[in-house]
């Protein structure tokens, strides 16, 4: 038998663990594995490599994915090199899978990638989906791989902000990832001893934030740490950084909630407020041991 595997969407600590688990389990059953580069683009343009246990040696502690990934190359809405407009190349993709004699395609990705994968399955492609998200917002699971590592990174950032906030008597805001779910912000905020934790699931007001800061000041604490998820609504609206061209599933890239909050707090008070955006540091780095184990189990299960 012959299987294919590809990554889609954002990168995540543990993706290489899934790949390694798939290859090791497959070769015990004499299943050949084709790894496609840059997500669905690799299957559309036939950019792939036969993966052997020797090829995936040493990748478990590496962050990101050795296959590469993208959140733009949707086969139902695809613009190849030299194309002037988007077009549906899903039939060509399925034909390529057939020409390569793929018995199944294993797809590792998030919400958008799985939506595409579902559409391909409805057209007859045999697929196995491995869900991936550092946000931990996956139904019917206790925890997703990559989440633990992201929380560790965010907690470390809060620890470092504490020292400079206390030294300069400032309010420090840390903006963390989380479009619709605030698990990273909540867990890191508690673990890092943040004073205010703002997540998309729970509405908040500027007055409540100021009340907490003023209460701390009255007790002699002249600094505060605020952690905020990027998907939080500031005065009723999410803050959009840019539009994701060619991405129908996440059309807008969020970012700027922390800065928007900083501007408001600066305008209405005498506080010295600084904002830090942790950004893609949360996606990077070597996976924590828990994520290495969990991602390996996902790969073997797939």
């Amino acid at each position: 038998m012959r299987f294919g595997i590809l990554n889609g969407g954002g990168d995540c600590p543990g993706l290489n663990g899934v790949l390694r688990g798939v290859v090791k389990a497959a070769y015990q059953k004499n299943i050949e594995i084709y790894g496609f580069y840059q997500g669905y683009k690799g299957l559309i343009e036939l950019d792939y490599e036969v993966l052997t246990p020797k090829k995936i040696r040493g990748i478990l502690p590496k962050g990101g994915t050795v296959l590469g990934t993208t959140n733009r190359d949707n086969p139902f809405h695809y613009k190849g090199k030299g194309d002037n407009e988007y077009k549906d190349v899903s039939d060509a993709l399925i034909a390529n899978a057939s020409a390569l004699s793929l018995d199944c395609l294993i797809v590792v990705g998030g919400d958008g990638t799985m939506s595409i994968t579902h559409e391909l399955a409805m057209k007859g492609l045999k697929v196995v989906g491995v869900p991936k998200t550092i946000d931990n917002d996956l139904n019917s699971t206790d925890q997703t791989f990559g989440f633990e590592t992201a929380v560790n990174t965010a907690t470390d950032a809060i620890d470092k902000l504490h020292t400079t906030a206390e030294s300069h008597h400032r309010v420090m805001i840390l903006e963390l990832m989380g479009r619709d779910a605030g698990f990273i912000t909540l867990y890191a905020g508690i673990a890092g001893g943040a004073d205010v934790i703002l997540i998309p699931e729970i509405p908040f007001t500027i007055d409540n934030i100021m009340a907490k800061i003023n209460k701390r000041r009255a007790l002699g604490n002249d600094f505060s740490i605020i952690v905020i998820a990027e998907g939080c609504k500031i005065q009723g609206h999410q803050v959009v950084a840019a539009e994701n061209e060619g991405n129908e599933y996440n059309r807008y890239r969020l970012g700027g909630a922390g800065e928007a909050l900083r501007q408001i707090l600066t305008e209405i008070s005498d506080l010295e407020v600084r904002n830090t955006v942790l950004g893609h540091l949360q996606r990077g780095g070597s996976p924590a041991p828990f994520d290495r184990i969990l991602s390996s189990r996902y790969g073997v299960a797939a």
Side-chain angles (χ1 to χ4, degrees):
M1 298 185 75
R2 180 180 295 161
F3 292 175
I5 184 170
L6 59 84
N7 300 129
D11 63 315
C12 170
L15 287 175
N16 286 325
V18 176
L19 178 61
R20 178 177 175 272
V22 165
V23 172
K24 282 186 170 288
Y27 268 78
Q28 289 186 17
K29 298 180 180 294
N30 296 315
I31 300 171
E32 196 173 31
I33 298 292
Y34 281 21
F36 294 93
Y37 290 102
Q38 304 305 321
Y40 276 115
K41 182 179 182 180
L43 185 49
I44 295 168
E45 300 186 0
L46 294 179
D47 182 13
Y48 64 90
E49 182 176 6
V50 178
L51 300 176
T52 63
K54 186 176 180 180
K55 288 281 187 182
I56 51 89
R57 184 183 299 160
I59 68 172
L60 184 59
K62 293 182 179 179
T65 164
V66 295
L67 288 179
T69 186
T70 177
N71 58 9
R72 291 186 300 275
D73 295 318
N74 177 356
F76 294 94
H77 188 69
Y78 186 78
K79 184 190 285 187
K81 189 175 182 179
D83 290 340
N84 294 321
E85 58 185 24
Y86 291 97
K87 55 187 177 181
D88 184 346
V89 297
S90 58
D91 288 338
L93 180 149
I94 292 173
N96 284 346
S98 178
L100 291 172
S101 300
L102 295 184
D103 296 288
C104 181
L105 179 67
I106 298 172
V107 180
V108 191
D111 188 39
T113 301
M114 289 303 158
S115 297
I116 294 167
T117 304
H118 176 70
E119 291 183 53
L120 290 170
M122 298 301 288
K123 296 189 72 167
L125 186 67
K126 292 182 178 180
V127 296
V128 171
V130 178
K132 169 238 49 151
T133 170
I134 64 170
D135 291 337
N136 202 37
D137 55 342
L138 182 64
N139 193 24
S140 301
T141 63
D142 292 320
Q143 190 161 317
T144 59
F145 64 86
F147 173 68
E148 182 91 356
T149 308
V151 169
N152 289 349
T153 300
T155 303
D156 182 63
I158 296 172
D159 290 345
K160 288 179 168 62
L161 284 176
H162 256 109
T163 59
T164 184
E166 189 169 4
S167 297
H168 289 276
H169 318 298
R170 288 171 175 161
V171 173
M172 289 292 193
I173 300 172
L174 179 64
E175 181 183 312
L176 300 173
M177 285 184 169
R179 175 177 290 269
D180 299 303
F183 285 104
I184 294 175
T185 303
L186 179 62
Y187 277 58
I190 294 172
D195 305 300
V196 176
I197 300 173
L198 306 175
I199 61 177
E201 295 91 335
I202 301 178
F204 58 87
T205 66
I206 302 298
D207 288 343
N208 283 344
I209 296 172
M210 283 302 306
K212 179 59 184 288
I213 293 172
N214 288 331
K215 183 177 180 180
R216 285 179 49 76
R217 294 172 84 183
L219 293 172
N221 299 311
D222 54 4
F223 74 96
S224 292
I225 301 291
I226 301 173
V227 287
I228 181 171
E230 64 183 357
C232 282
K233 293 181 179 179
I234 304 298
Q235 295 183 328
H237 302 283
Q238 286 185 322
V239 182
V240 175
E243 186 170 354
N244 288 325
E245 182 185 359
N247 189 331
E248 294 178 309
Y249 297 95
N250 284 324
R251 290 187 59 194
Y252 300 104
R253 178 158 49 87
L254 299 180
E259 177 58 23
L261 179 61
R262 184 200 68 78
Q263 291 179 11
I264 293 171
L265 294 180
T266 301
E267 290 171 1
I268 67 171
S269 72
D270 61 348
L271 298 170
E272 188 175 357
V273 188
R274 296 290 186 271
N275 176 54
T276 300
V277 180
L278 199 56
H280 287 81
L281 285 172
Q282 293 156 93
R283 292 192 179 278
S286 181
F290 180 89
D291 286 335
R292 298 184 195 188
I293 295 167
L294 185 59
S295 59
S296 297
R297 294 176 67 189
Y298 265 89
V300 173

